Amino acid sequence: MSQDDLTKIVGYVKFDFIKVERGKAVMHENDICDHLYFMLNGILEVRTPASDHGYTFVEHIHAPYTIQPERIFGLIQHYSHDFMAEETCGFVRIDKEEILKLSDNYFIFKLNLLNLLSREVQVCAREPWKSVPKNLEERIVRFIGQRCIRPAGRKEIFIKMTRLAEELNDSRLDVSIALNHLQDKGLIQLSRGKITVPAMEDLLK
């Protein structure tokens, strides 16, 4: 956007600058999504439970980041994750009505919003066409990778071995052996009821 465009926006579009202190909630799962939150700085801890809350996936998202723009329109207009400030985070928050104004008046804003939404659709559409995992280790990697917001950085999965075995339709013993192989390679770290992935990009290789 040009300097003139930005000056005009400040004049007639309502938006807020928000700071969320470390350890405070930004929003929770099932909160209504009626604003766009653009994270300018900081780190978010994002918690996503399974539909039955039988396990929980945790990610650490660094700025810049837009929080679930695909949830502001469409059938389900509620957040699907818990967002906590892992360290103090700064946001620009824009109301839904103001977003529509910006889309009407600034093509570059509309284009960027469409790109964000299109990316979400394309990522989901591509998933079923990926190659079938060749072994249990690859199925574990697929299980974790499919649940990532971003396919990089530190991830934590709070899940019992028996539940993971059920999800993978395999035995608890075989899953345990495969997880230990991945740990021996330095790709994951195991502790009671928890799998830690230090760098998701390394695991996906």
Side-chain angles (χ1 to χ4, degrees):
M1 285 184 156
S2 68
Q3 187 65 45
D4 284 345
D5 287 339
L6 292 173
T7 302
K8 289 176 184 176
I9 286 172
V10 170
Y12 83 89
V13 174
K14 298 175 184 176
F15 59 90
D16 304 309
F17 288 98
I18 296 174
K19 184 167 77 169
V20 180
E21 300 293 338
R22 179 179 179 181
K24 300 292 185 180
V26 181
M27 71 274 298
H28 295 287
E29 178 193 12
N30 293 324
D31 284 352
I32 294 173
C33 180
D34 54 6
H35 291 77
L36 269 186
Y37 284 78
F38 300 95
M39 183 167 69
L40 305 177
N41 52 67
I43 304 173
L44 280 175
E45 180 186 278
V46 185
R47 288 183 168 263
T48 311
S51 59
D52 63 356
H53 291 257
Y55 63 90
T56 302
F57 199 94
V58 178
E59 298 188 65
H60 308 273
I61 305 293
H62 294 247
Y65 177 64
T66 305
I67 297 180
Q68 293 203 276
E70 72 280 5
R71 292 279 172 157
I72 201 163
F73 302 106
L75 180 63
I76 302 172
Q77 297 180 24
H78 295 81
Y79 295 105
S80 59
H81 314 287
D82 290 328
F83 295 88
M84 306 288 291
E86 189 169 320
E87 62 177 43
T88 300
C89 297
F91 296 92
V92 170
R93 183 179 69 178
I94 306 178
D95 181 85
K96 186 174 182 176
E97 291 185 8
E98 301 300 319
I99 292 166
L100 294 173
K101 283 185 189 177
L102 282 168
S103 296
D104 284 341
N105 291 288
Y106 296 96
F107 178 74
I108 188 63
F109 185 91
K110 181 186 292 184
L111 183 61
N112 283 330
L113 183 59
L114 288 172
N115 281 334
L116 280 172
L117 301 177
S118 296
R119 178 190 174 280
E120 294 298 323
V121 173
Q122 290 167 11
V123 167
C124 291
R126 189 173 63 229
E127 198 62 35
W129 301 101
K130 290 183 177 179
S131 300
V132 176
K134 300 179 180 65
N135 53 51
L136 183 53
E137 287 184 28
E138 289 188 5
R139 282 161 56 201
I140 291 170
V141 173
R142 169 75 67 89
F143 175 83
I144 297 172
Q146 285 179 328
R147 287 153 179 80
C148 290
I149 295 174
R150 283 186 173 175
R154 182 182 177 86
K155 318 292 177 187
E156 292 147 10
I157 306 95
F158 293 87
I159 188 169
K160 292 182 178 179
M161 196 76 70
T162 50
R163 177 60 185 266
L164 182 57
E166 290 173 4
E167 293 287 334
L168 297 170
N169 194 28
D170 214 310
S171 71
R172 184 188 184 284
L173 177 60
D174 287 344
V175 169
S176 178
I177 291 170
L179 286 171
N180 277 284
H181 283 168
L182 291 171
Q183 180 170 245
D184 291 341
K185 295 174 184 177
L187 297 172
I188 65 171
Q189 298 164 359
L190 299 175
S191 54
R192 188 174 180 82
K194 180 181 176 183
I195 302 168
T196 301
V197 181
M200 190 66 204
E201 60 271 31
D202 293 338
L203 184 63
L204 290 173
K205 289 178 183 176

